[in-house]
Amino acid sequence: MISKIWDSIIVGGGPAGLAAGLYLSRMGFKTLLIENSRPGGQAYAIGRIHNYPGFPGGISAKILAKRFLDHAREWGLNWRLGRVVELRRTGNYFSARFGRTWKISRSAIVSTGASFNRLALPREKFLKGRGLFYGPPPEISRFKRRVVAVLGGGDGAFHEALALSRIAKGVQLIYRGKPSAAAHLLAQVSSTGNITQHQKSRITRLLGNRRLRALEIKNARPKPLKLKVDALFVLIGKTANDQLWRRLKNQKGLFVAGDAHQGIYRQVAIASGDG
């Protein structure tokens, strides 16, 4: 079934997609945004955002995402929940397959974000969701009084270690070289009693039968160190989700916004500005 022709279809409802939808709708363009999970994309799960301009003390990521969506809808943005599985260019139009229908538009904006990098270790696929998570925890309260590990040396990993330290029994923070997190995060982590830092370390094995139970890490010590943990959160960078638009690159009317670019500055403010 083919519906009406839109001026623009936006694939992805994170900060970049919502900002693009706001501006297009405000200019009077018939715009459809399709998001496969919830408004805000991965930013929704951050918890509290401290570096978005205009909010001293930070703002809840869920509240900010809702404000993004409400603002865009105020100007007439059409929002749909679902997954775009194919994007084509046919003549002067783009076609996006969404469910059992094709949505047709004069232009397309791909803001599908980026996915957290994997570890490339044995049993990783099996343990995903069984104590092994990529990015922030889905429900942080699940890890109350537990021992958890965070892998990564950037802002995201340090933010997560601090958030988990408020409810967890202990946090093992693991990173390969020198941390790249902001100075204030380094200071906070260093002064938090239940966070143990493992510098110049890497995970070499994931241990556990039905779920993750322990990690084996290697560092300067002669023997590997075994850490018993209830969960591991991997935040070692992201790779852009470019599958939808890779072969359409440089096509007239196709735009890419936010973390879907292969950039290094993955922040909410930058993504929304790009949108």
Side-chain angles (χ1 to χ4, degrees), residues 50-70:
H50 292 275
N51 59 353
Y52 195 84
F55 295 97
I59 182 173
S60 160
K62 294 180 182 180
I63 292 174
L64 185 61
K66 185 178 184 303
R67 290 184 180 181
F68 270 46
L69 180 58
D70 289 346

Side-chain angles (χ1 to χ4, degrees), residues 58-271:
I59 182 173
S60 160
K62 294 180 182 180
I63 292 174
L64 185 61
K66 185 178 184 303
R67 290 184 180 181
F68 270 46
L69 180 58
D70 289 346
H71 197 179
R73 278 178 161 171
E74 182 181 283
W75 288 102
L77 176 68
N78 290 270
W79 164 277
R80 298 287 186 278
L81 188 64
R83 182 182 295 274
V84 174
V85 295
E86 188 176 355
L87 184 65
R88 296 179 182 173
R89 175 68 187 261
T90 307
N92 294 323
Y93 299 98
F94 289 90
S95 304
R97 183 153 67 90
F98 164 56
R100 296 184 178 181
T101 69
W102 287 89
K103 302 297 182 181
I104 310 300
S105 66
R106 296 179 176 86
S107 66
I109 299 174
V110 181
S111 53
T112 45
S115 296
F116 287 97
N117 293 334
R118 284 2 187 193
L119 297 170
L121 290 175
R123 306 195 75 243
E124 181 175 1
K125 187 175 181 181
F126 173 78
L127 290 171
K128 180 184 176 182
R130 296 182 172 97
L132 172 62
F133 304 93
Y134 302 97
E139 295 176 20
I140 197 169
S141 59
R142 290 171 51 188
F143 306 99
K144 190 173 183 179
R145 291 190 291 274
R146 302 293 182 107
V147 176
V148 300
V150 177
L151 178 65
D155 284 1
F158 274 61
H159 266 301
E160 215 46 57
L162 287 166
L164 286 161
S165 72
R166 299 182 188 108
I167 64 161
K169 181 179 179 181
V171 179
Q172 305 287 338
L173 179 57
I174 306 162
Y175 46 90
R176 282 178 175 267
K178 291 183 178 180
S180 59
H184 72 280
L185 292 173
L186 292 172
Q188 288 179 55
V189 164
S190 296
S191 63
T192 301
N194 63 342
I195 298 179
T196 302
Q197 297 184 64
H198 300 271
Q199 301 179 12
K200 298 181 181 179
S201 302
R202 59 190 179 91
I203 297 174
T204 53
R205 289 180 67 194
L206 304 170
L207 305 172
N209 293 325
R210 296 185 178 181
R211 62 174 290 108
L212 183 69
R213 296 298 183 190
L215 307 171
E216 182 182 274
I217 66 171
K218 286 187 177 181
N219 48 31
R221 298 178 183 180
K223 291 185 178 181
L225 177 66
K226 183 178 178 180
L227 299 176
K228 291 184 178 181
V229 297
D230 297 296
L232 167 66
F233 303 97
V234 179
L235 294 100
I236 51 173
K238 294 181 179 181
T239 299
N241 297 324
D242 62 357
Q243 299 89 342
L244 270 182
W245 64 271
R246 190 188 306 145
R247 62 184 181 81
L248 297 173
K249 193 175 181 180
N250 299 324
Q251 289 277 352
K252 184 179 179 180
L254 176 73
F255 303 90
V256 181
D259 288 1
H261 287 296
Q262 288 285 11
I264 59 172
Y265 299 107
R266 303 194 184 281
Q267 298 179 16
V268 173
I270 291 174

